Amino acid sequence: MPSLKDLKVRINSVKSTQKITKAMKMVAASKLRRAREAAEASRPYAVAMETMLARLASGYVGQSNAPVLLSGTGRDDLQLIIAVTSDRGLAGALNGSIIRAVRKRVRELQAQGKQVRLYCVGRKGREGLSGEFRDIILGERTEVAKKVVEYATAESVAAEITDLIAREGIDVVGIYYSHFKSAIAQVPTYQQLVPLVVPAQTGEVAPTEYEPDEETILADLLPRNLAMQIFKALLESAASEQGARMNAMESATKNAGEMIKKLTLKYNRTRQANITKELIEIISGAEAL
């Protein structure tokens, strides 16, 4: 049985931990509002960009002269998966869910005879995937959301992905990230980036004239769209991280409070037992005299 001193030390230790988790919850809550607003603001632009590109690209689907970022190589033998996680832990199941989803997809593709390569955005993704897939990780980017996610970072990542497509002969590029639905719901999401997914046209589409020509516009917008979709994924993941961390720290604070109650009860019972034992010894000694 632990002594009163041991119980007191443990209670103080749990109280210190509770203060830390409570402070981390408040910090995450303050960051969450700004991250959520940034993620929600990026969605309309990303959707509009995809819609406009889909309209432009509809005439190039299946053509041999179509840009690689639009139609890929026409094959799907070599696929690159971008795994977006956080650099820090203490965010509940956020990173684990992305790592499991990526691991499952890699195994499925390999079982189909495909070759797979990985690009990790976030230290936790690299740590979780390097044990089994160290040989197929082509690149890594960390500290993308140390303060705020910047578009320049997404542009840099997109430039690296474009270089990998040309250098490695990548056929398909997709990205896994946590889609932010609410502070308590973050959904692992897969989005194909290359080739561009062009939805089927429904109904009549009004003819549109473009200035300059469509090829010039596509040459400018395709790299920008790749950067924009990556930027959206980074913003969604940053908001998801703060929401998951806020919930994890709230649960940790609650659990610490329950543990303090149990330890305090145990401390009081042990103290009462010691007092009773001392009283019995005193009474027994007095009767013996």
Side-chain angles (χ1 to χ4, degrees):
M1 180 180 292
S3 64
L4 289 175
K5 182 179 179 181
D6 293 336
L7 288 171
K8 194 69 174 178
V9 169
R10 192 174 178 190
I11 290 171
N12 291 333
S13 176
V14 176
K15 284 182 177 180
S16 298
T17 302
Q18 187 184 43
K19 290 179 182 178
I20 294 172
T21 56
K22 188 175 182 180
M24 291 184 67
K25 174 196 168 185
M26 294 174 66
V27 171
S30 65
K31 290 182 177 180
L32 173 61
R33 182 182 61 82
R34 185 169 53 197
R36 183 186 67 242
E37 290 175 353
E40 291 175 348
S42 72
R43 293 171 187 170
Y45 185 82
V47 171
M49 176 79 78
E50 279 190 313
T51 302
M52 182 170 63
L53 273 175
R55 184 174 298 177
L56 277 167
S58 58
Y60 286 84
V61 176
Q63 295 187 13
S64 59
N65 63 338
V68 174
L69 292 182
L70 172 62
S71 60
T73 61
R75 303 182 301 273
D76 63 351
D77 300 325
L78 180 56
Q79 302 195 19
L80 175 67
I81 297 175
I82 306 170
V84 182
T85 57
S86 66
D87 292 306
R88 300 167 58 204
L90 300 177
L94 178 76
N95 295 314
S97 61
I98 293 294
I99 292 170
R100 285 192 298 272
V102 171
R103 187 180 288 121
K104 179 181 179 182
R105 186 168 184 86
V106 170
R107 290 171 179 167
E108 289 176 350
L109 290 173
Q110 290 177 339
Q112 297 170 14
K114 313 294 184 184
Q115 296 184 57
V116 186
R117 300 292 183 268
L118 296 175
Y119 185 95
C120 298
V121 178
R123 186 175 290 109
K124 290 300 177 180
R126 175 65 186 241
E127 293 174 355
L129 295 169
S130 60
E132 185 177 358
F133 304 118
R134 183 185 304 274
D135 296 336
I136 64 173
I137 297 178
L138 297 182
E140 176 187 10
R141 182 64 66 89
T142 60
E143 302 295 342
V144 296
K146 190 172 183 180
K147 292 184 179 179
V148 293
V149 179
E150 297 179 347
Y151 181 71
T153 303
E155 279 188 315
S156 177
V157 173
E160 289 187 37
I161 299 303
T162 304
D163 181 63
L164 288 173
I165 292 173
R167 190 172 71 246
E168 301 289 334
I170 304 294
D171 300 318
V172 178
V173 179
I175 186 169
Y176 267 104
Y177 65 95
S178 294
H179 174 71
F180 179 82
K181 293 189 69 175
S182 68
I184 59 174
Q186 302 86 33
V187 182
T189 302
Y190 176 79
Q191 180 183 357
Q192 182 174 300
L193 302 179
V194 179
L196 186 68
V197 178
V198 180
Q201 298 289 344
T202 57
E204 295 184 0
V205 179
T208 306
E209 294 184 3
Y210 296 97
E211 181 67 31
D213 59 276
E214 296 181 9
E215 290 186 10
T216 304
I217 295 175
L218 278 176
D220 180 67
L221 286 188
L222 284 171
R224 190 175 300 181
N225 176 66
L226 179 61
M228 184 60 212
Q229 301 307 322
I230 293 174
F231 183 52
K232 182 195 71 173
L234 295 180
L235 289 173
E236 295 279 356
S237 295
S240 297
E241 178 187 356
Q242 299 305 328
R245 179 168 293 117
M246 184 183 73
N247 288 323
M249 292 303 99
E250 183 178 7
S251 297
T253 302
K254 182 180 178 181
N255 292 338
E258 293 176 355
M259 184 176 291
I260 289 170
K261 289 180 181 179
K262 292 179 180 179
L263 289 172
T264 302
L265 181 61
K266 189 173 183 179
Y267 174 84
N268 292 334
R269 286 177 175 174
T270 303
R271 182 169 176 269
Q272 185 63 46
N274 289 343
I275 293 172
T276 303
K277 181 181 178 182
E278 290 176 0
L279 288 173
I280 292 173
E281 290 176 351
I282 293 172
I283 295 170
S284 299
E287 290 179 350
L289 293 175

